[in-house]
Amino acid sequence: MIGLYTIDIFYLVLVVPALICSFAAQWYVKSTFNKYSGVLTSYTSNELAGRMLSGSGVRDVEIISTPGHLSDNFNPKNKKISLSEPVYGSSTVAALGVACHEAGHALQYHMGYFPIKIRTAIFPVVSFASSAALPIAILGLFFSQILVEIGIVLFASTVIFQLLLLPIEFDASRRAVNALSGILSGDEIRGVKKVLTAAALTYVASALVAVANFLRILLIFNGRNRRR
């Protein structure tokens, strides 16, 4: 079996830098959000997100408040946009950007945006794979090479899922910026773009971590096979 020293090298070389990028992205999105939470506009987040939806013929999506910080999301099952306490009803540039980004996700479902259909289709598999991939692969070390291969395939599906999130998130932000461009001033739009760009970096960082972990697993099991 491949030594722990080698495993640690893979972790240090691949995963640690990706995790550092992830922590940096999280810090950046929080600091950017806090910065533009101090810039007020003449509108509320609920108002503009609602206007964005109704302008595209979406009238069955409810906008509600949810506890937490930056816990905003759109649930296609109950058709609710849940805005966190700092965002719901706020008139800041940061809040408007976040709220309209979530409205962008609602529009993606409403308009049948293709990547969101793929994401919805593979989500049940990914939910299982994310928790089962590594244990199955480790069991394969002791019982069967087939289990190792199954574990790697399952892990690959989680990586694909993370990569698929990128165009979905970027598209939702693009829809938000387009909707706000004719309403907010130039400086306010630039603030919205910075907030949404910072948020997008967290998804890029998450994808980077997923890819790094996947490469680490491939190298570990490939090294084990060469030692047989």
Side-chain angles (χ1 to χ4, degrees):
M1 186 181 296
I2 194 166
L4 290 176
Y5 175 75
T6 307
I7 293 175
D8 287 343
I9 287 296
F10 291 153
Y11 186 81
L12 290 173
V13 172
L14 294 171
V15 180
V16 170
L19 287 173
I20 292 173
C21 289
S22 179
F23 292 141
Q26 291 173 20
W27 171 85
Y28 182 59
V29 71
K30 288 180 181 178
S31 62
T32 304
F33 182 87
N34 290 337
K35 176 181 178 180
Y36 287 98
S37 289
V39 182
L40 296 174
T41 72
S42 302
Y43 306 92
T44 67
S45 58
N46 304 32
E47 176 188 0
L48 291 190
R51 185 187 299 187
M52 183 175 168
L53 294 172
S54 61
S56 297
V58 180
R59 295 179 174 82
D60 58 349
V61 172
E62 184 182 1
I63 302 174
I64 64 172
S65 176
T66 187
H69 181 72
L70 295 179
S71 54
D72 313 88
N73 66 89
F74 168 67
N75 187 333
K77 292 183 179 180
N78 60 19
K79 294 188 175 181
K80 290 183 179 180
I81 294 175
S82 299
L83 300 179
S84 59
E85 292 168 349
V87 173
Y88 185 83
S90 174
S91 297
T92 68
V93 164
L96 266 58
V98 171
C100 288
H101 174 89
E102 298 306 328
H105 284 310
L107 292 183
Q108 288 172 339
Y109 280 96
H110 177 73
M111 297 177 177
Y113 180 59
F114 185 64
I116 208 81
K117 289 183 176 180
I118 299 177
R119 177 192 176 279
T120 302
I122 69 173
F123 181 74
V125 175
V126 173
S127 295
F128 167 76
S130 62
S131 58
L134 191 57
I136 289 175
I138 291 174
L139 284 174
L141 290 174
F142 302 98
F143 297 106
S144 171
Q145 177 65 22
I146 294 177
L147 288 177
V148 171
E149 294 170 357
I150 291 173
I152 290 174
V153 169
L154 290 175
F155 204 98
S157 71
T158 67
V159 175
I160 292 171
F161 184 80
Q162 289 290 338
L163 294 174
L164 183 61
L165 285 178
L166 298 181
I168 293 173
E169 295 300 325
F170 283 120
D171 178 76
S173 292
R174 178 189 62 80
R175 293 173 190 266
V177 170
N178 288 344
L180 295 172
S181 292
I183 300 172
L184 303 181
S185 69
D187 287 340
E188 291 168 343
I189 282 295
R190 280 187 286 274
V192 166
K193 288 181 179 179
K194 288 181 180 180
V195 170
L196 294 180
T197 298
L201 288 178
T202 63
Y203 290 97
V204 174
S206 294
L208 185 61
V209 171
V211 171
N213 274 307
F214 180 61
L215 290 176
R216 176 175 175 251
I217 287 176
L218 283 181
L219 289 170
I220 289 171
F221 290 112
N222 184 55
R224 173 185 174 274
N225 290 335
R226 286 204 304 267
R227 285 166 173 74
R228 284 183 166 182

